[in-house]
């Protein structure tokens, strides 16, 4: 037989559990937000690193879509992307889209 709990006591226990659950959820949300910020900073660094982008392009031209804007104006990066997939040219900086050598790659 289960021990009986007064209705008011049970209500207080439920409210306490909800409050505890809310505290835990808020802590989890804060931690998740902090982790997200760190990951976004890391991704931003990776997207701006010339060597990382070149390495990524070796296996997937779509990495060029996510490269930092300054790398989309880098002729070596753009050429590497366009050599893998001609349509990557649409993600290049305007000045390089008209570059004959790159357009014919």
């Amino acid at each position: 037989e289960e021990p009986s709990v007064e209705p008011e006591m049970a209500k207080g226990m439920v409210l306490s559990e909800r409050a505890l659950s809310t505290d835990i959820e808020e802590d989890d949300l804060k931690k998740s937000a902090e982790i997200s910020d760190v990951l976004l900073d890391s991704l931003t660094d990776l997207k701006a690193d010339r060597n990382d982008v070149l390495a990524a392009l070796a296996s997937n031209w779509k990495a060029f879509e996510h490269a930092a804007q300054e790398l989309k104006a880098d002729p070596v990066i753009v050429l590497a992307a366009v050599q893998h997939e001609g349509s990557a040219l649409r993600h290049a900086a305007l000045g390089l889209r008209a570059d004959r050598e790159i357009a014919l790659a």
Side-chain angles (χ1 to χ4, degrees):
E1 181 175 318
E2 291 188 35
S4 64
V5 177
E6 296 294 321
E8 285 302 310
M9 185 178 205
K11 184 178 176 183
M13 291 169 60
V14 168
L15 292 176
S16 293
E17 284 181 25
R18 284 186 187 155
L20 180 59
S21 175
T22 302
D23 288 344
I24 290 171
E25 288 174 13
E26 287 175 10
D27 287 345
D28 288 344
L29 288 174
K30 286 178 188 174
K31 287 177 186 173
S32 293
E34 290 170 5
I35 291 169
S36 293
D37 289 344
V38 169
L39 287 173
L40 286 174
D41 288 345
S42 296
L43 288 175
T44 300
D45 292 345
L46 287 173
K47 292 192 303 188
D49 186 279
R50 191 171 194 257
N51 291 329
D52 287 337
V53 171
L54 279 172
L57 286 173
S59 62
N60 187 349
W61 75 270
K62 286 191 171 262
F64 183 61
E65 290 180 28
H66 305 287
Q69 290 303 314
E70 64 266 16
L71 293 181
K72 290 180 179 183
D74 181 320
V76 173
I77 299 287
V78 174
L79 187 59
V82 172
Q83 285 175 336
H84 284 285
E85 174 61 44
S87 64
L89 189 60
R90 71 176 179 254
H91 299 288
L94 288 176
L96 292 178
R97 290 182 198 173
D99 183 294
R100 182 175 165 78
E101 180 185 347
I102 290 173
L104 295 175

